[in-house]
Amino acid sequence: MFHLMENVNKNLYFFFLIFALSSLTAAGTEPGDSGAKNAETGSLESFADPRRIWGDGLEGLIEEAYRQCFKTYIIGGRIMNLRMPFVENHERDKLSDQDWEFLGGGKGNPGYLWEAIDRVLDSEDFKQYTRVLGDGREKIIIFDMSRRTWTVSLDLFDIARIKTGAYHGLPHKPYVLVSGRGITAVEVYNYLYCIGWTGMDCSGFVWYVLSSIARRQDLDLGRSLSRALGVPRGEDPSYYAGTWFYNSSNSQIISVPDKISALRPGDILLFRGVDGDMVHSAIIQSVDFSRGVIRYLQSTDEAPLEDRGVHESFVYFDPSRPGISLKDPGLRWTQSRYPPFPGEKASPFSDDGERYRAYEELGGGRVVRLRVLNPPGRKTRS
């Protein structure tokens, strides 16, 4: 049952290693090493090609799009495989004295967003942040998201209070306890989220993956769905493709029975929030009926600290029972839910499974797919 996950993680390891090797080469090598490095990189690229595991169909295409949401950097002398951060507009600005909006409204594509992240990580402010995190002193970093600034508290009483669970941060002012032993990917994420205002929200990530599928079918998804989305002339359709649309009764949305045997790659999982409305979406990458594994991809910050942003999640089921519902309590959903920053109010759901089963009176979670993608007769280019 765990064999598929092990293969996925091993494949991603070599994928990340390619970028790390490229970064190290760019940082400076002897001229005579270039041929060997190129050969080594070529070998690793071949090994890490998503088609080695997923083939040329939808599974491989979705995996390829997913991998564009990762990039390797050398920061503070450490190699870090960074994932695209999660962003949310207007959920944290309720107590601040101004509204704000993340770059692209959380709907940008990875190429555009990584360029923006490159600029953030090259800024003098981020370099100072890196130095402070490596000065050897335990401290609290206080982020002011509305002003895109951060300050430091060395107050021993404040540090002790955080350690005992007495959190004094606010939604727009997260308090983060750091060790002073150097920057990690977790601290980079905190900075990108609070100061950089750059990343993808859940529906933005789903739209990006669906758009990647559409392009391989010679289809412009934004143009095809512009009318259905109600996009004003000249505006970007991706900005209007929120979870609300996937949950709508629009003729472009096909409701899928949520029994496992009906699922396929590219299907969209919808989850309800604390008010019962559909507020979160994810996309199925693969369904392995022989091993009993559903792999789905999402962008969220209600996850373990190392997983915040774009990441993979799994559902394990009994292969002999493919007809059971995703709401079956016997399924094992691996994605646990945590507050975005330690000390903040925890999610009311312990994991994605509990969240999917919640609000039974409203129907719980939902599975949908886009009618326009891969209709009869349409072929996906290899």
Side-chain angles (χ1 to χ4, degrees), residues 18-195:
I18 292 169
F19 285 101
L21 180 59
S22 300
S23 299
L24 290 171
T25 302
T29 58
E30 294 297 323
D33 292 341
S34 59
K37 291 293 185 184
N38 289 337
E40 192 173 353
T41 301
S43 176
L44 287 171
E45 286 175 344
S46 175
F47 187 92
D49 187 335
R51 289 173 295 184
R52 290 190 75 257
I53 290 180
W54 302 112
D56 294 320
L58 278 179
E59 292 178 344
L61 182 55
I62 294 171
E63 175 70 10
E64 184 179 353
Y66 171 64
R67 293 185 183 190
Q68 298 305 310
C69 296
F70 295 82
K71 189 173 181 180
T72 300
Y73 293 85
I74 300 177
I75 301 174
R78 298 175 177 177
I79 298 175
M80 298 183 188
N81 299 313
L82 302 185
R83 63 184 71 242
M84 184 62 64
F86 173 77
V87 298
E88 54 184 352
N89 288 312
H90 311 306
E91 284 84 356
R92 288 183 174 269
D93 62 7
K94 301 296 188 295
L95 299 179
S96 68
D97 54 5
Q98 64 183 85
D99 293 336
W100 67 72
E101 186 163 300
F102 287 91
L103 180 64
K107 312 297 183 183
N109 67 72
Y112 167 67
L113 294 173
W114 284 123
E115 289 180 359
I117 288 172
D118 288 346
R119 292 192 292 271
V120 172
L121 298 183
D122 194 44
S123 68
E124 288 303 318
D125 187 69
F126 179 76
K127 292 174 184 177
Q128 176 61 20
Y129 175 76
T130 301
R131 287 191 289 269
V132 167
L133 291 178
D135 65 6
R137 294 184 293 178
E138 192 175 46
K139 63 184 71 65
I140 297 171
I141 302 293
I142 303 171
F143 293 100
D144 188 333
M145 295 183 67
S146 61
R147 294 176 172 80
R148 301 176 75 172
T149 61
W150 55 277
T151 55
V152 173
S153 172
L154 296 170
D155 188 290
L156 296 179
F157 182 65
D158 286 344
I159 292 173
R161 285 196 300 179
I162 278 196
K163 287 182 175 181
T164 59
Y167 182 73
H168 292 281
L170 296 170
H172 66 294
K173 286 188 178 180
Y175 280 44
V176 179
L177 179 65
V178 297
S179 66
R181 293 194 293 268
I183 192 168
T184 68
V186 169
E187 281 86 37
V188 176
Y189 176 95
N190 293 342
Y191 187 93
L192 292 175
Y193 181 87
C194 296
I195 309 298

Side-chain angles (χ1 to χ4, degrees), residues 13 38 43 121 134 158 184 195 228 261 286 302 304 318 349 367 379:
Y13 168 76
N38 289 337
S43 176
L121 298 183
D158 286 344
T184 68
I195 309 298
S261 59
S286 62
E302 287 191 345
D318 184 345
F349 310 108
V367 183
K379 300 294 185 181

Side-chain angles (χ1 to χ4, degrees), residues 243-259 263 267-272 278 280-284 325-327 333 352 355-359 362-369:
T243 297
W244 68 268
F245 174 68
Y246 304 132
N247 187 46
S248 70
S249 57
N250 191 283
S251 61
Q252 289 292 338
I253 302 297
I254 301 174
S255 185
V256 179
D258 72 351
K259 60 182 181 180
L263 305 179
D267 285 350
I268 304 163
L269 297 174
L270 300 176
F271 300 82
R272 297 184 187 274
M278 292 292 190
H280 182 61
S281 51
I283 189 164
I284 293 177
S325 167
L326 282 175
K327 299 183 180 70
W333 297 67
D352 277 358
R355 186 178 192 183
Y356 189 83
R357 295 188 298 269
Y359 298 98
L362 299 175
R366 186 184 178 197
V367 183
V368 301
R369 64 176 61 125

